[in-house]
Amino acid sequence: MMTSLYHLWHRAGLWRACLIISALSLTMAVFLPTASLKHLAPWLPGKAPPLLTPPKDTTHPHPPEGGGDTEGGKVAYLDPSQSVSDRAPLAGHVFPLPEGQWHPVLAAQTNDRAAFSFLALIRTDHGAVTGFITLQTNQNPVPAELVESLLTPCHDDRNYTNLNQEAPDMADCVYVANAVLEKGMVSNNPLIAEAVAHVQQLGFPLPPLMIVTGWRHISAAKNGLAQTATEDVLLSPLDRETHQMLAPPDVWSKETIAANPVAEEFINKILHWAPYWQKGLLQAFIDPKSIEFLPVEATRDPMAPQ
């Protein structure tokens, strides 16, 4: 036996190379395991790399929506294996979430005069992204002139609908529109663009187009200051069985949606849900305890888990 192995070692160069590579690979796996391998075999001597990327300094080329001149901030890439449900705290506020398990993927804090906090989360179903949420708010009231543009999307006639509520000390709106996720067209908010890019880098496939239900809120504070909050819920218009888009991207405009009954039905479901969602968001912003009592009509979006 030993003689046969000896002759094989000297005559079979390819077999010898494969054996050496296998031994080296096994050694590296033992002493430099991946996070998933370390989870399955915690007795391995090596240490897995951390799943949480430390915050890094970043300079934004454009201010966040409703923000001032951004001088920089911090971005943290979060562990997508963690999940939250029902609500997400951010900068001293509590935001309600639609049904399902939501995975935080990116958090950020700007250092400009507005000092906005930002959080992005995704919801998945068998590897497909069914929802993508971005939250943004300021912990302390900011000068009102810094947030004047916040309500601009609420008056775009290309939206499927605009639901605006105004009072002497408050402006609140929800709008429904389509969002193209192609490179360079995601958003003029660099934090949203960064979150989308990070989700794609993590290997979660995003459809080329999603339907966004955007919420914008401004409350007047003392001395000409304002408190703001935004929550964008982007839903994937996917078939639940095949995870393919219900219709091609070019049929989802307000003018052409009626030509495709399947796409129109999906939009109508969101239009039915949007007023309940707006009411729930406003109630939760005024009284965070009300999240406990939001009706199912407010939290069950058209792509919620069944």
Side-chain angles (χ1 to χ4, degrees):
M1 179 68 177
M2 295 299 296
T3 302
S4 299
L5 290 175
Y6 176 81
H7 288 296
L8 187 61
W9 178 266
H10 286 279
R11 293 182 182 180
L14 182 59
W15 175 82
R16 184 173 63 246
C18 291
L19 188 63
I20 294 173
I21 292 173
S22 298
L24 290 175
S25 299
L26 182 61
T27 302
M28 292 180 67
V30 169
F31 290 97
L32 296 172
T34 63
S36 58
L37 181 60
K38 185 68 174 179
H39 177 73
L40 293 173
W43 41 265
L44 290 174
K47 179 180 293 186
L51 290 173
L52 178 63
T53 303
K56 66 176 183 180
D57 290 328
T58 180
T59 300
H60 301 303
H62 305 288
E65 181 181 358
D69 298 327
T70 306
E71 300 175 355
K74 290 196 177 290
V75 175
Y77 301 101
L78 307 178
D79 178 3
S81 67
Q82 305 298 317
S83 65
V84 295
S85 60
D86 300 330
R87 71 200 69 186
L90 182 68
H93 304 285
V94 182
F95 290 79
L97 298 174
E99 289 186 3
Q101 296 295 315
W102 291 89
H103 306 273
V105 291
L106 186 144
Q109 173 71 55
T110 68
N111 288 334
D112 57 2
R113 286 193 298 160
F116 281 91
S117 295
F118 176 90
L119 180 65
L121 312 94
I122 61 171
R123 183 182 62 193
T124 63
D125 177 22
H126 294 87
V129 176
T130 61
F132 176 76
I133 286 181
T134 61
L135 311 174
Q136 186 170 294
T137 188
N138 48 290
Q139 187 162 359
N140 300 309
V142 298
E145 66 268 15
L146 295 183
V147 297
E148 290 178 351
S149 64
L150 194 69
L151 300 177
T152 299
C154 306
H155 304 283
D156 193 328
D157 59 9
R158 294 171 297 179
N159 297 340
Y160 301 111
T161 190
N162 297 308
L163 305 175
N164 291 283
Q165 298 184 30
E166 294 186 4
D169 60 348
M170 180 202 75
D172 188 275
C173 90
V174 155
Y175 66 92
V176 178
N178 58 61
V180 179
L181 301 187
E182 294 178 354
K183 185 176 181 182
M185 299 178 63
V186 175
S187 174
N188 60 1
N189 184 334
L191 296 176
I192 294 179
E194 178 71 12
V196 169
H198 182 55
V199 168
Q200 294 171 331
Q201 291 170 359
L202 288 172
F204 294 102
L206 290 171
L209 178 142
M210 301 180 77
I211 307 302
V212 55
T213 302
W215 176 61
R216 302 290 182 271
H217 179 86
I218 300 178
S219 296
K222 296 180 180 180
N223 302 321
L225 300 179
Q227 184 68 59
T228 72
T230 73
E231 179 165 349
D232 288 344
V233 180
L234 286 78
L235 300 178
S236 301
L238 303 179
D239 181 277
R240 289 185 179 273
E241 299 297 329
T242 66
H243 291 163
Q244 300 299 311
M245 286 194 65
L246 294 171
D250 57 359
V251 308
W252 291 92
S253 70
K254 181 180 179 180
E255 294 74 22
T256 60
I257 192 69
N260 191 297
V262 176
E264 185 179 33
E265 181 184 9
F266 185 81
I267 293 299
N268 286 337
K269 288 180 180 179
I270 295 181
L271 295 179
H272 176 77
W273 170 65
Y276 294 102
W277 182 233
Q278 180 182 21
K279 184 177 180 180
L281 287 166
L282 183 56
Q283 287 178 348
F285 188 79
I286 296 173
D287 179 13
K289 294 181 180 179
S290 68
I291 291 180
E292 301 282 352
F293 310 103
L294 292 184
V296 66
E297 292 86 356
T299 58
R300 182 170 294 168
D301 66 85
M303 287 301 292
Q306 293 183 340

